[in-house]
Amino acid sequence: MPELLDYEPVIFEPARGEEEPLSPVQEEILQLKKERNAIILAHNYQVGSIQRIADYVGDSLGLAYKAAETDAEVILFCGVHFMAETAKIVNPDKKVLLPDLEAGCSLSDSCPPERLAAYKEQNPDVYVVAYINCSAGVKALSDVICTSGNAVRIVENIPQDRPVLFVPDQNLGQWVAARTGRKMRLWPGSCYVHILFTVRALEKLKSRYPDAPIVAHPECTEAVRDMADEVCSTEKMVGFAKNHPADRFIVITEAGMLHRLHREVPEKTFIAGPTENCACNECRFMKMNTIEKVRDALKNLSPEITLPEEIRQAAYTPIKRMLDWSR
Ligand code: 13P
Ligand code: SF4
């Protein structure tokens, strides 16, 4: 007997029929994009209307590669601040726009550069692996960057003879340490969105959809990850859903991911992961970007990401190392 759910699950059913026509604002954005010679890069957590007009939608790793490769003059980055900052670090001569400069990240905020600098002073031989969800200041103090998509591979590559500090996400760090067998000190940071998914809430949902495999992001807690059939980055969730024989999936990550899955795997059903209080979970920072702000950013060529050159250069080295190691 399935447990009673005290909410209606958020479900993306298989797509039927044609997509709706673009709205006037979306049309305006496509026109402005041409005029500005701009590329629009969007993270998988952006609202559906933004994903629809983006040139590329993906995870942090895919977006970092796209940013590094583009020859557009303007990069309009629809994601959060650290992602746009990464695009600027690899493209010092391009204009990098973020629709709302306040779109931060709680995980990034949990590791201020001054605290990491103080730790390094006390532990001079430590090798710092920084998850890309951190500020340019933290990247500048790190040896190599990783994303959830390549963290295992990056950690397998780091020198064996050094103590390792993984910043800022303890959950991802713990998952990578278990996968690689590498002992790592973990910075005590976490993503406020992913730690809200709980075993109790998930068990209730699973009892209603026992046939639906669970796919979870590694930023979730270990107890939630242990319930998942697959733990992976947002990009890898697309491949998992495509290749798995199941018709429906429970997706334990930020709810914007369902838009991406729905577009890429239109014949399958996606059920949003629940928290204790809500049928799905959204990142308030990711959702600060709206379609109107995207239009305004292209119109005004602002707000723009800027960085002190010294920090940018220091942050570039570990990003470059990551891009080289994960090719
Ligand atoms: P991905 O790199 O898997 O897209 O994750 C980014 C992120 O911010 C997760 O919260
Ligand atoms: Fe940061 Fe979490 Fe939002 Fe990702 S979902 S941008 S880690 S606060």
Side-chain angles (χ1 to χ4, degrees):
M1 173 73 177
E3 263 199 78
L4 277 184
L5 292 176
D6 33 23
Y7 59 85
E8 255 327 288
V10 171
I11 299 185
F12 280 40
E13 302 278 3
R16 284 182 231 296
E18 305 246 314
E19 268 189 312
E20 280 186 19
L22 293 178
S23 70
V25 182
Q26 286 174 314
E27 296 281 11
E28 201 181 340
I29 290 169
L30 295 184
Q31 185 54 36
L32 282 163
K33 194 180 71 150
K34 269 194 228 145
E35 287 166 24
R36 302 297 197 202
N37 186 16
I39 185 170
I40 302 181
L41 303 180
H43 188 263
N44 289 322
Y45 297 162
Q46 291 296 284
V47 291
S49 58
I50 294 180
Q51 293 196 22
R52 175 102 187 263
I53 47 84
D55 294 290
Y56 177 81
V57 184
D59 69 351
S60 313
L61 182 61
L63 290 163
Y65 273 117
K66 281 286 163 203
E69 286 158 8
T70 185
D71 52 11
E73 283 170 62
V74 175
I75 300 175
L76 175 58
F77 206 108
C78 303
V80 290
H81 196 275
F82 75 81
M83 295 178 173
E85 211 172 49
T86 305
K88 184 67 185 175
I89 293 166
V90 297
N91 284 295
D93 300 328
K94 293 191 197 302
K95 215 177 240 308
V96 178
L97 308 173
L98 181 65
D100 189 327
L101 281 186
E102 297 295 312
C105 167
S106 66
L107 179 54
S108 173
D109 290 347
S110 69
C111 185
E114 314 75 65
R115 279 185 48 208
L116 179 57
Y119 183 93
K120 284 185 66 174
E121 218 163 87
Q122 298 294 313
N123 300 271
D125 61 339
V126 79
Y127 191 94
V128 180
V129 181
Y131 183 32
I132 199 164
N133 297 33
C134 63
S135 64
V138 165
K139 288 185 176 81
L141 292 165
S142 303
D143 293 287
V144 68
I145 306 301
C146 72
T147 73
S148 57
N150 64 12
V152 168
R153 183 181 318 194
I154 297 295
V155 168
E156 282 169 351
N157 260 288
I158 60 183
Q160 287 299 328
D161 57 345
R162 300 265 300 272
V164 182
L165 173 68
F166 189 94
V167 302
D169 189 45
Q170 59 186 309
N171 289 304
L172 176 69
Q174 187 189 43
W175 178 72
V176 177
R179 295 274 307 269
T180 58
R182 184 75 193 248
K183 266 210 175 102
M184 301 195 291
R185 302 172 195 171
L186 306 178
W187 193 267
S190 53
C191 159
Y192 91 99
V193 176
H194 285 87
I195 59 170
L196 286 183
F197 296 112
T198 65
V199 168
R200 201 172 74 139
L202 192 48
E203 273 172 348
K204 279 198 215 168
L205 188 66
K206 181 75 181 174
S207 70
R208 166 123 32 131
Y209 304 102
D211 58 305
I214 297 172
V215 57
H217 196 276
E219 286 174 18
C220 294
T221 61
E222 186 176 20
V224 167
R225 292 195 311 266
D226 283 349
M227 284 187 72
D229 297 270
E230 178 71 359
V231 177
C232 60
S233 74
T234 58
E235 192 60 35
K236 290 183 183 169
M237 288 181 183
V238 176
F240 177 73
K242 269 187 189 156
N243 298 327
H244 198 286
D247 291 326
R248 52 187 185 184
F249 298 84
I250 296 173
V251 183
I252 311 296
T253 192
E254 208 272 353
M257 187 63 209
L258 271 71
H259 292 287
R260 173 80 198 285
L261 288 163
H262 182 67
R263 275 179 75 91
E264 299 260 350
V265 200
E267 70 283 7
K268 297 196 178 181
T269 297
F270 298 99
I271 306 156
T275 68
E276 294 288 314
N277 304 316
C278 205
C280 69
N281 203 0
E282 292 196 331
C283 170
R284 66 174 182 274
F285 304 109
M286 285 281 179
K287 267 38 191 196
M288 283 180 179
N289 297 327
T290 62
I291 195 78
E292 289 79 14
K293 288 184 198 172
V294 170
R295 188 247 341 258
D296 295 347
L298 273 181
K299 225 184 213 173
N300 306 325
L301 291 179
S302 154
E304 188 181 352
I305 300 284
T306 54
L307 268 174
E309 182 55 16
E310 202 182 292
I311 301 267
R312 189 202 68 77
Q313 279 186 18
Y316 180 71
T317 307
I319 292 177
K320 176 78 171 58
R321 193 165 287 143
M322 168 188 83
L323 295 175
D324 291 345
W325 286 5
S326 51
R327 262 184 212 287

